[in-house]
Amino acid sequence: MDVEGLGALIALLCADGYTVIGPVVRDGTVVPTPVTSLSEMARGVVDHQGPGTYRLHADGDLLFGYAAAATGWKRYLFPAHRPLWRYDRNGSPTTAAQPIIRQALFGVRSCDLHALQVLDTVLAGRRYVDADYAARRAATFVVAVTCAHPAATCFCASMSTGPAPQDGFDLLITELVGERGHRFLVESGTPLGRAVLERLPAAPATPGDDADVATCVSASVATMERVVDTEGIRDLLYASANSPRWDDVAARCLSCTNCTLVCPTCFCFTTEDVVGLSGADGRDRMWDSCFNADHSLLHGGAVRRSTRARYRQWVTHKFGSWIDQFGVSGCVGCGRCIAWCPAGIDVTEELAAIRAAAEQTAEDAP
Amino acid sequence: MTHKLDGEALLRVDELARVEGEGAMRVVVRGGVVRDVELQIYEPPRLFEALLHGRSFREPPDITARICGICPVAYQMSACQAIEAACGVVVPEEIRLLRRLLYCGEWIESHALHVYLLHAPDFLGYDSAIDLARDHHDVVEQGLRLKKAGNALMTLVGGRAVHPVNVRVGGFYRLPTREEMVLIRPQLEQALQDALATVALVAGFDFPDLEQPYEYVALRAPDGDYPLERGSVVTSGGGGFDVDAFEEHVIEEHVERSNALHARLADVGTYVVGPLARYSLNHDALSPLARDAADSAGLGATCRNPFRSIVVRAVELVEACEEALRIVDSWQGAAAPYVDVAPVAATGRGATEAPRGILFHRYTIGADGAIVDARIVPPTSQNQPSIEADLRQLVQDNLDLDRVLLSRLCEQAIRNYDPCISCATHFLDLTVEQT
Amino acid sequence: MTTDLLDRSAGTDALVPRPFVVRRRIRETSDTTTLLLEPVDRTGLEFEPGQFTMIGRPGFGEVPISISGDSARPGMLEHTVRAVGDASAAIARTRRGDTLLVRGPYGRGWDVEAAAGHDVLVVAGGIGLAPLRPVVLDVLARRDLFRRAFLVVGSRTPDQLLYPRQMEQWRGRFDVDVDVTVDAADAGWRGHVGVVTDRLPRLDLDPLSTFAFLCGPEVMMRVTADALCALGVPAAQVRVSMERNMKCGVGMCGHCQLRELFVCLDGPVFGYDVVQRLMTEPEL
Amino acid sequence: MTASAPARRRRQHRRPKLAVWKFASCDGCQLSLLNCEDELLSLAGAVEIAHFTEATRRSVRGPYDVSLVEGSITTAHDADRIRQVRDVSRTLVTIGACATAGGVQALRNFADVSAWTSLVYARPDYVSTLATSTPIAAHVPVDFELHGCPIDRGQLLGVLVALLAGRRPRIQVETVCAQCKRRGNVCVLVARGTPCLGPVTQAGCGALYPAYDRGCYGCFGPVAGGNVASLVARLRADGMSVTDVDRILHTFNADAEPFRTGGQAL
Ligand SMILES: Cc1cc2nc3c(=O)[nH]c(=O)nc-3n(C[C@H](O)[C@H](O)[C@H](O)COP(=O)(O)OP(=O)(O)OC[C@H]3O[C@@H](n4cnc5c(N)ncnc54)[C@H](O)[C@@H]3O)c2cc1C
Ligand code: SF4
Ligand code: SF4
Ligand code: SF4
């Protein structure tokens, strides 16, 4: 279909009662924001990302000419700050249920689809369930996009999480340009998606389309600059608890929490009792980070006092212990932690250095 | 038992309350004649003009705001004006209006604070607004609501109520959106109603008799505006001069007993800035609604009783609320939040109407943008001589009054000026002394 | 849309606590109090020895506290709380009739069953006796299931000893060997002075057939576990109860991670074979 | 329990006495208390406002349960006065950058004060001032410090509510960045190269500055354990001059470690 077709899709989703959340240019970045029409969404912009920098430039006319949105979709499912419970009229703590709105996430890249699946496991796939997350997730329609223009910070190919979405979406859009013009191939991934698709004025897919998508994906993979060698990475990290590289990175790390809060899979939270002049009202929950001193606080002091220990915890959890805990890597290769680190610390570079240090030690050993 | 001030007496209040900052009063009466009146400022000096040396010309809006937490916007506005004057920049009309809107917020907050929390308790015989609230809860609630509206306006335009973060040389960091402007409208409408009610309320107070023949000095704004963020200086004696000539006309002296500087008008001497001066010199510039409110409160076109300054402040509350509504309603956005200002080796001056009166700034900037010299003349140091004159007159006229009552009356007289001692220190303990 | 997620959202919210009323409080030592709590909704709290609850006093925050009562009597929830910081002090100073907010029980307990047919050794340091009291009560209640039973309790000073009356009762029994040692004795103390590991040799343990349950400061657990392993007790038969910061108790907040372990879900009780390496790595 | 029993008895018999004291400052932090318009009257019901010259002429004698202290020590007289305040205060809470770090007036600590005094006053001999502006904690023991220039109204209420409930106030130690990300701001340092002190500044303002499209200028002071050297390296790499780095670190918390070292921190 063409651009108008996409406009019709958004209109249809709005008409169906979804709040459509799509990529919008704000403060020089692309940020998922509620929209009501295609015209509000980012178009003709290209992102240039590097360690500690993100710049957006006007270029071309593509709708999805940039990589994954600067901030992830996490806050729409796992709010940065939410009331957990309040006292009801009888003085009993009761879920502070916020009205769950039906939302359509529009333009989710493959890395973020994987991140949603990770959060599904963490927050709703085990014995205890974050009911608020589960309810929001159940009310979420996902429109994915094939990522054709990865940023310099991306490494989803290494993490086997992209750039082409495989599942976890209701609809999948691939933006194609070429002899046959600027067009969008839309596929459904669920019956719900198919039902929406059937109501759209779209020409059926032609045999050449699949080939075009494949070309688009391989071109995308070819442009990806960063890599992570994931071979035995968990054991590598477990064995590298005393790598000298941790001291090196600790000198640069600000322990500022940015990497963890932009990471689409980081889920740590803290709680706080809400108290007014007339007494306790209930309890709230907000995003927390393992880079905060209070995170590991015990009576008598924090367990992880040094930045070295905190950085090690973060990387070891993301790339190593996550696998033991949830069966998948905690990193989906979106590169956000690289771009949004004020100190420009690049996790792929740190991992490579840790591996190199480990190999060096192995060599040195008789 | 009552103690009158006969013979030789000393009246002192060591710690002036309900003023912004720390000060004291001392009045010496000998043989039934007031011999000496002193307003002492023991607010420790914070040396702002000196610490601005070598700072970037972009920093005064943030740094000088810290001179006073009650009127930071005034400092930011005068600083911007002076620096922009030095650099030869004139901000676009929309930016000027947005500054005026921010300033309205500060006027509303500051005047509501003074009228309700600081001054009204004097007229109604309470120690504080909190005691007042015990008997007149609705009155205090009304005042707090007004104050809150002022703070909300400052938060909208400036980011926060104390030391706003959104002001920069050349304009603002970020423009408020049309939607945000619309959202604050109901609160401002309520504020306007509260302001009108305030005029009615304070008009009913008892005002001690005192007529003072001072020279009034205030800004006059172009286009028939009530003066806030711009204007040139006019005096009740018929004089007038440009802000650039301010230092030729205003002479600041350092008085021993005080950490504040006293200002005098060349050729004239003691003068008064602030609501009384501003009102009397700009009565014609008031909006019809504010003017009607003033009329019904029994204020003439000029007001010479310092105790009635509370009524003038209430009228100015009406003016500020209306003006804010006007700007909010007409807001169409601006092309850019600020204009670029490049440093120019030059001297620039700026003066705006702080809630307490004219606030003058002068900066000399080097070509590299570093500040070479800075001078700040706040309203309270300009008013200090008149406050002392008022006290002299009051004590002389009321020598037969009970000592405690007289002391209270003196405090009230000082509060007429809403003296901001934090500002003047670059300023108070009420003492009438027995010698 | 994932329908199974919809189902999952329908369950009770694990993060919402239930109100309990303090029915009795027993002052154990100068800083430690035992509270007996009754659920307002009268639904008892079935638990296994070693499990804990997240308990909070409204406005003061929530902390993990082990259940120190008898697992055979779940109607009354029992906690022994040492006042070390704001939340614990606030909980410890509640009065009879006050309401506390409780979630749980959470975590994996000591698995006392596994010790059936073996010698049972319980080693507690300070407040560490609280999560171990249910073990002692359980073993004594089903005494025939186990072989020899030892209880070694360490305390800083004699007046810091928990549950003195119950300890007297246990001492009076012939089917459990109770050994109490203090770091610093006072004038009236006639017992041992020293650390708990000093008491191990005299027990004449049968290493391969011993199950040890340890709780106390992390160093004390490590030193004791190492000593037991050195005696030949298999590490998997040595259990320790770990302590980490917890905000949720249900594996969601991320605070209690010990590398791949969630102390709240996978523990707090772990076999020493699982945590030995992790306990020796500083700041993990 | 023993420790709390007297506190409870006190609360039953009378409202706790609150005093507000001012030293060298701008009044902005005290004003933050009066700016709690919605809570002011109920607060005045819950506590006895026993000394607060900005708000009331009545002063009730000490001792006071809670003293809020604004401002820094810049005169010998004030150095004596703060000791008297400490003597009559059970709990002493300092509020604002002036009281916790010396404030903007502590810039004198880096300069020659007599030269400064003569710059401002025609007769410097009339002015008595110390060569330094020092935080309250440099003179007397302080029970809790509330940072900010000005302090955050919400945090102030939180502290008062905690003290009223007999609880120690607690403020999460974290950077402005943490609040900034929760708020959903776009990072100005990364997306624009605007110098920002957020990564080394204690949170409290709600990440206001980046929401206003400017960098944080550190008015809540350094966060505990912040890595100023690393941030300075980044700012320098972005082309900021040493003078400008000095300026940005040397404002309202200039004399707080590790802002003190300024551009030299690298
Ligand atoms: C599984 C488990 C069982 C426990 N059982 C008991 C028990 O039966 N009796 C008892 O007295 N104590 C027990 N504790 C310790 C108790 O949870 C802490 O003493 C308490 O959390 C201290 O909190 P605070 O707010 O009083 O102290 P603060 O020092 O003010 O606490 C600050 C922060 O650290 C956290 N924190 C501090 N110390 C600890 C700690 N030791 N463990 C976990 N989080 C901590 C608090 O949650 C808070 O976030 C147990 C801990 C765990 C993990
Ligand atoms: S790695 Fe970067 S973003 Fe993360 S805490 Fe360290 S400095 Fe901040
Ligand atoms: S660790 Fe970094 S690259 Fe990986 S998912 Fe998190 S933010 Fe993205
Ligand atoms: S810290 Fe800032 S806001 Fe507070 S009194 Fe000092 S200058 Fe004013």
Side-chain angles (χ1 to χ4, degrees):
Chain A
M1 68 173 68
D2 54 14
V3 175
E4 278 71 52
L6 280 195
L9 170 57
I10 290 172
L12 190 65
L13 289 170
C14 289
D16 282 357
Y18 289 103
T19 299
V20 177
I21 308 192
V24 168
V25 173
R26 175 158 69 82
D27 300 331
T29 58
V30 177
V31 182
T33 311
V35 293
T36 51
S37 73
L38 191 67
S39 62
E40 295 163 51
M41 291 193 348
R43 181 168 185 176
V45 290
V46 169
D47 55 344
H48 293 279
Q49 302 191 41
T53 97
Y54 182 112
R55 293 289 186 283
L56 211 54
H57 299 288
D59 189 0
D61 186 39
L62 294 184
L63 263 156
F64 305 107
Y66 49 87
T71 62
W73 309 85
K74 183 166 80 172
R75 62 189 325 114
Y76 288 100
L77 293 155
F78 178 64
H81 190 140
R82 86 164 174 94
L84 276 181
W85 57 265
R86 291 290 184 265
Y87 286 106
D88 66 9
R89 242 180 265 125
N90 309 319
S92 294
T94 315
T95 309
Q98 288 158 311
I100 301 297
I101 42 163
R102 277 151 51 93
Q103 55 185 3
L105 309 182
F106 195 100
V108 182
R109 306 304 172 96
S110 188
C111 54
D112 284 337
L113 284 176
H114 280 86
L116 290 183
Q117 286 165 354
V118 170
L119 286 183
D120 289 349
T121 307
V122 176
L123 296 171
R126 296 178 298 151
R127 181 158 164 218
Y128 297 99
V129 168
D130 175 353
D132 180 75
Y133 176 87
R136 284 172 196 270
R137 188 71 172 92
T140 300
F141 186 95
V142 177
V143 183
V145 165
T146 304
C147 206
H149 304 275
T153 43
C154 295
F155 56 100
C156 61
S158 293
M159 304 311 295
S160 312
T161 53
Q166 306 298 332
D167 55 14
F169 53 82
D170 295 293
L171 289 175
L172 169 63
I173 301 171
T174 306
E175 184 172 36
L176 295 167
V177 276
E179 294 134 51
R180 295 165 62 196
H182 187 188
R183 63 204 166 93
F184 301 88
L185 190 72
V186 186
E187 305 160 46
S188 63
T190 59
L192 191 73
R194 188 170 332 114
V196 172
L197 190 54
E198 279 162 3
R199 290 155 62 206
L200 281 172
T206 59
D209 288 344
D210 279 353
D212 287 353
V213 171
T215 315
C216 163
V217 169
S218 54
S220 169
V221 172
T223 56
M224 223 168 288
E225 291 173 18
R226 282 182 161 70
V227 288
V228 166
D229 178 357
T230 55
E231 180 66 34
I233 192 161
R234 181 198 62 185
D235 296 338
L236 169 72
L237 287 166
Y238 285 2
S240 298
N242 289 305
S243 174
R245 188 67 184 187
W246 302 123
D247 295 304
D248 185 276
V249 69
R252 289 170 280 136
C253 174
L254 299 153
S255 209
C256 64
T257 78
N258 277 302
C259 48
T260 49
L261 299 182
V262 295
C263 178
T265 66
C266 274
F267 58 85
C268 281
F269 65 76
T270 187
T271 60
E272 196 173 270
D273 280 25
V274 181
V275 198
L277 271 169
S278 46
D281 297 329
R283 189 171 292 146
D284 282 5
R285 173 186 93 177
M286 48 271 224
W287 290 355
D288 199 3
S289 165
C290 54
F291 280 95
N292 277 338
D294 290 359
H295 189 273
S296 65
L297 197 65
L298 287 182
H299 171 64
V303 172
R304 290 183 284 271
R305 289 165 206 248
S306 65
T307 299
R308 171 188 186 276
R310 294 185 206 159
Y311 192 86
R312 179 182 69 187
Q313 160 64 20
W314 183 57
V315 169
T316 306
H317 187 213
K318 281 282 114 152
F319 293 84
S321 42
W322 206 292
I323 299 171
D324 278 335
Q325 292 171 347
F326 306 108
V328 289
S329 173
C331 175
V332 296
C334 70
R336 290 187 179 97
C337 58
I338 302 172
W340 298 98
C341 171
I345 295 169
D346 174 352
V347 68
T348 65
E349 194 183 312
E350 298 311 318
L351 285 166
I354 285 159
R355 191 177 287 274
E359 279 160 8
Q360 187 64 46
T361 327
E363 260 169 46
D364 292 349
Chain B
M1 204 160 105
T2 59
H3 298 275
K4 304 224 168 107
L5 290 173
D6 28 47
E8 300 208 322
L10 174 77
L11 188 65
R12 59 187 301 160
V13 173
D14 288 332
E15 194 171 28
L16 274 171
R18 286 187 275 120
V19 296
E20 289 104 11
E22 302 268 313
M25 176 199 91
R26 183 172 162 273
V27 178
V28 182
V29 182
R30 209 174 292 122
V33 178
V34 178
R35 301 280 174 188
D36 194 19
V37 178
E38 273 179 24
L39 202 54
Q40 293 173 324
I41 290 182
Y42 55 74
E43 170 87 20
R46 291 169 72 213
L47 311 174
F48 272 90
E49 281 121 316
L51 64 82
L52 285 164
H53 276 245
R55 303 295 302 209
S56 158
F57 76 114
R58 298 193 196 278
E59 293 186 288
D62 288 330
I63 292 180
T64 63
R66 267 67 183 184
I67 293 176
C68 178
I70 326 283
C71 58
V73 171
Y75 282 88
Q76 296 185 320
M77 296 297 105
S78 292
C80 287
Q81 206 188 76
I83 293 161
E84 286 156 13
C87 302
V89 167
V90 178
V91 295
E93 183 63 6
E94 312 84 75
I95 298 298
R96 184 188 67 79
L97 281 174
L98 201 53
R99 285 183 170 171
R100 194 170 164 86
L101 180 64
L102 174 62
Y103 222 144
C104 284
E106 179 159 289
W107 271 36
I108 297 169
E109 194 281 331
S110 177
H111 277 5
L113 171 77
H114 188 257
V115 168
Y116 283 92
L117 296 187
L118 309 185
H119 213 187
D122 281 336
F123 290 93
L124 297 171
Y126 292 89
D127 285 335
S128 75
I130 287 153
D131 300 305
L132 175 62
R134 227 163 277 135
D135 300 334
H136 303 279
H137 198 267
D138 293 352
V139 168
V140 177
E141 282 288 344
Q142 176 172 283
L144 289 171
R145 201 160 56 224
L146 252 169
K147 189 169 163 301
K148 195 176 168 187
N151 278 334
L153 196 49
M154 281 202 276
T155 306
L156 165 64
V157 186
R160 66 180 167 196
V162 180
H163 305 331
V165 301
N166 196 22
V167 175
R168 63 182 291 166
V169 172
F172 292 88
Y173 286 91
R174 172 185 162 265
L175 295 171
T177 62
R178 178 85 214 120
E179 295 76 60
E180 289 171 323
M181 288 286 209
V182 168
L183 274 177
I184 201 166
R185 212 184 180 285
Q187 203 175 355
L188 289 175
E189 271 166 35
Q190 175 66 46
L192 179 57
Q193 294 313 314
D194 287 335
L196 287 165
T198 305
V199 178
L201 172 80
V202 300
F205 290 169
D206 281 335
F207 301 102
D209 287 330
L210 184 71
E211 288 284 307
Q212 293 291 44
Y214 306 134
E215 186 84 358
Y216 280 157
V217 176
L219 295 183
R220 278 262 319 158
D223 305 331
D225 280 350
Y226 201 73
L228 264 99
E229 81 299 341
R230 61 173 176 167
S232 59
V233 185
V234 293
T235 75
S236 51
F241 47 86
D242 262 0
V243 170
D244 276 343
F246 189 87
E247 287 165 293
E248 291 158 33
H249 293 86
V250 173
I251 294 148
E252 257 191 325
E253 299 169 347
H254 188 190
V255 192
E256 167 153 20
R257 56 184 178 262
S258 147
N259 290 333
L261 301 164
H262 282 200
R264 296 184 190 277
L265 201 57
D267 310 329
V268 177
T270 306
Y271 68 97
V272 167
V273 298
L276 285 178
R278 201 157 51 208
Y279 171 86
S280 302
L281 291 166
N282 290 282
H283 184 259
D284 60 329
L286 284 169
S287 72
L289 187 65
R291 212 177 312 148
D292 285 351
D295 280 354
S296 60
L299 285 175
T302 47
C303 176
R304 293 217 155 266
N305 181 348
F307 288 95
R308 284 189 189 270
S309 64
I310 192 170
V311 190
V312 174
R313 278 189 193 91
V315 171
E316 289 194 334
L317 274 168
V318 175
E319 177 71 31
C321 292
E322 259 201 296
E323 182 68 6
L325 276 166
R326 268 195 297 271
I327 299 174
V328 163
D329 287 343
S330 67
W331 179 249
Q332 295 299 338
Y338 62 92
V339 286
D340 272 322
V341 181
V344 173
T347 297
R349 297 167 184 82
T352 63
E353 282 284 358
R356 287 154 198 81
I358 294 179
L359 169 63
F360 173 82
H361 284 223
R362 187 227 323 126
Y363 298 96
T364 302
I365 300 163
D368 61 351
I371 293 167
V372 178
D373 191 31
R375 179 149 185 246
I376 295 166
V377 184
T380 299
S381 65
Q382 303 177 64
N383 282 342
Q384 201 171 335
S386 336
I387 301 178
E388 291 184 350
D390 281 7
L391 289 174
R392 180 179 295 270
Q393 185 74 50
L394 262 182
V395 174
Q396 190 69 61
D397 290 354
N398 294 286
L399 277 173
D400 54 337
L401 212 60
D402 168 82
R403 194 189 165 103
V404 173
L405 290 177
L406 181 56
S407 187
R408 269 188 173 242
L409 186 65
C410 289
E411 282 183 54
Q412 187 177 356
I414 293 172
R415 283 193 281 271
N416 286 336
Y417 290 85
D418 187 8
C420 183
I421 298 167
S422 309
C423 295
T425 317
H426 119 102
F427 177 76
L428 222 45
D429 198 19
L430 183 67
T431 311
V432 182
E433 206 168 298
Q434 206 148 17
T435 51
Chain C
M1 244 193 269
T2 10
T3 35
D4 53 329
L5 279 166
L6 191 57
D7 302 336
R8 279 178 236 164
S9 66
T12 50
D13 195 330
L15 299 174
V16 181
R18 278 198 294 153
F20 279 59
V21 175
V22 178
R23 288 291 172 222
R24 248 188 94 196
R25 58 194 312 279
I26 302 152
R27 194 173 151 186
E28 301 286 352
T29 73
S30 58
D31 62 2
T32 306
T33 306
T34 295
L35 300 171
L36 279 80
L37 301 147
E38 201 180 22
V40 169
D41 62 12
R42 307 266 163 179
T43 311
L45 206 132
E46 307 266 350
F47 73 98
E48 270 182 49
Q51 284 197 298
F52 66 98
T53 74
M54 292 298 293
I55 181 167
R57 181 152 159 208
F60 288 79
E62 201 181 36
V63 290
I65 301 288
S66 303
I67 304 174
S68 65
D70 188 344
S71 51
R73 294 161 56 190
M76 195 67 91
L77 172 65
E78 208 167 333
H79 278 309
T80 305
V81 186
R82 183 163 162 236
V84 298
D86 302 337
S88 52
I91 293 165
R93 66 169 184 259
T94 44
R95 287 174 299 174
R96 213 157 49 133
D98 283 355
T99 303
L100 291 173
L101 303 173
V102 176
R103 298 188 290 120
Y106 296 133
R108 276 210 226 157
W110 297 103
D111 189 11
V112 183
E113 303 308 317
H118 294 85
D119 290 352
V120 176
L121 166 63
V122 170
V123 185
I127 186 71
L129 184 54
L132 284 168
R133 185 165 65 159
V135 175
V136 178
L137 295 173
D138 190 21
V139 168
L140 293 183
R142 305 184 289 165
R143 189 64 193 82
D144 297 348
L145 274 178
F146 307 92
R147 297 192 345 188
R148 292 182 296 163
F150 306 97
L151 172 62
V152 181
V153 175
S155 173
R156 252 176 308 152
T157 55
D159 61 348
Q160 293 284 314
L161 273 170
L162 300 183
Y163 321 124
R165 268 204 265 146
Q166 211 158 15
M167 289 283 286
E168 260 335 290
Q169 280 172 20
W170 295 341
R171 265 179 203 281
R173 293 178 64 140
F174 296 105
D175 54 357
V176 54
D177 178 319
V178 179
D179 195 338
V180 179
T181 175
V182 300
D183 294 345
D186 59 15
W189 182 250
R190 284 191 308 262
H192 309 286
V193 179
V195 292
V196 285
T197 38
D198 295 347
R199 309 307 307 156
L200 298 181
R202 67 162 276 275
L203 300 181
D204 187 25
L205 294 173
D206 172 3
L208 287 177
S209 184
T210 298
F211 269 78
F213 302 110
L214 323 179
C215 189
E218 209 168 300
V219 265
M220 167 258 169
M221 292 193 288
R222 209 172 66 217
V223 171
T224 311
D226 284 343
L228 290 169
C229 291
L231 287 175
V233 183
Q237 284 170 219
V238 179
R239 307 263 158 89
V240 296
S241 181
M242 296 297 292
E243 202 174 294
R244 281 298 179 267
N245 187 309
M246 288 178 193
K247 290 296 171 199
C248 71
V250 293
M252 284 188 217
C253 75
H255 286 248
C256 71
Q257 289 177 80
L258 183 58
R259 212 172 65 186
E260 70 275 24
L261 305 173
F262 283 103
V263 173
C264 63
L265 284 181
D266 304 323
V269 178
F270 294 97
Y272 194 55
D273 55 328
V274 175
V275 288
Q276 183 176 17
R277 288 277 317 279
L278 306 178
M279 284 173 83
T280 45
E281 191 60 64
E283 295 192 83
L284 202 60
Chain D
M1 222 159 169
T2 41
S4 66
R8 215 170 20 243
R9 229 174 294 125
R10 227 173 24 237
R11 222 167 304 141
Q12 278 164 2
H13 287 295
R14 60 170 189 81
R15 296 173 298 155
K17 280 189 192 169
L18 175 74
V20 182
W21 309 93
K22 179 193 152 72
F23 292 84
S25 68
C26 80
D27 283 30
C29 289
Q30 300 185 52
L31 182 66
S32 299
L33 185 57
L34 295 178
N35 278 353
C36 302
E37 289 95 358
D38 292 336
E39 300 86 4
L40 189 62
L41 293 181
S42 37
L43 182 68
V47 301
E48 178 184 9
I49 298 185
H51 180 92
F52 186 5
T53 42
E54 184 167 322
T56 175
R57 63 186 310 279
R58 190 193 43 196
S59 176
V60 180
R61 286 179 49 152
Y64 308 97
D65 296 277
V66 177
S67 277
L68 299 177
V69 177
E70 174 193 275
S72 68
I73 304 299
T74 57
T75 65
H77 171 248
D78 277 356
D80 285 341
R81 197 159 59 96
I82 187 61
R83 266 175 236 123
Q84 291 161 24
V85 169
R86 175 72 262 190
D87 286 346
V88 294
S89 311
R90 282 205 183 87
T91 302
L92 190 152
V93 178
T94 50
I95 57 170
C98 297
T100 59
V104 68
Q105 58 273 20
L107 285 169
R108 72 177 67 184
N109 304 359
F110 303 84
D112 172 3
V113 171
S114 58
W116 276 28
T117 328
S118 40
L119 268 172
V120 179
Y121 297 100
R123 297 290 308 269
D125 47 318
Y126 290 174
V127 176
S128 60
T129 183
L130 297 171
T132 54
S133 168
T134 41
I136 301 301
H139 299 264
V140 295
V142 168
D143 299 302
F144 189 77
E145 294 194 322
L146 190 57
H147 295 269
C149 183
I151 53 169
D152 176 74
R153 206 166 44 148
Q155 284 195 338
L156 175 64
L157 272 176
V159 165
L160 291 174
V161 162
L163 292 173
L164 277 175
R167 189 161 41 94
R168 210 172 346 154
R170 171 171 273 159
I171 283 168
Q172 165 114 336
V173 177
E174 61 179 10
T175 60
V176 171
C177 292
Q179 284 194 331
C180 199
K181 284 287 175 291
R182 281 194 212 106
R183 186 170 166 153
N185 293 338
V186 168
C187 173
V188 295
L189 184 64
V190 166
R192 291 176 172 247
T194 305
C196 181
L197 295 187
V200 296
T201 299
Q202 166 63 35
C205 63
L208 204 57
Y209 311 81
Y212 279 81
D213 221 357
R214 69 179 293 193
C216 162
Y217 54 68
C219 65
F220 277 67
V223 67
N227 188 347
V228 173
S230 174
L231 183 66
V232 169
R234 157 92 204 224
L235 297 176
R236 297 279 290 113
D238 280 356
M240 222 175 157
S241 69
V242 174
T243 314
D244 280 339
V245 172
D246 272 343
R247 281 176 181 156
I248 192 177
L249 286 166
H250 282 182
T251 57
F252 321 111
N253 293 280
D255 210 11
E257 205 63 72
F259 283 6
R260 186 184 297 136
T261 23
Q264 265 65 60
L266 192 55

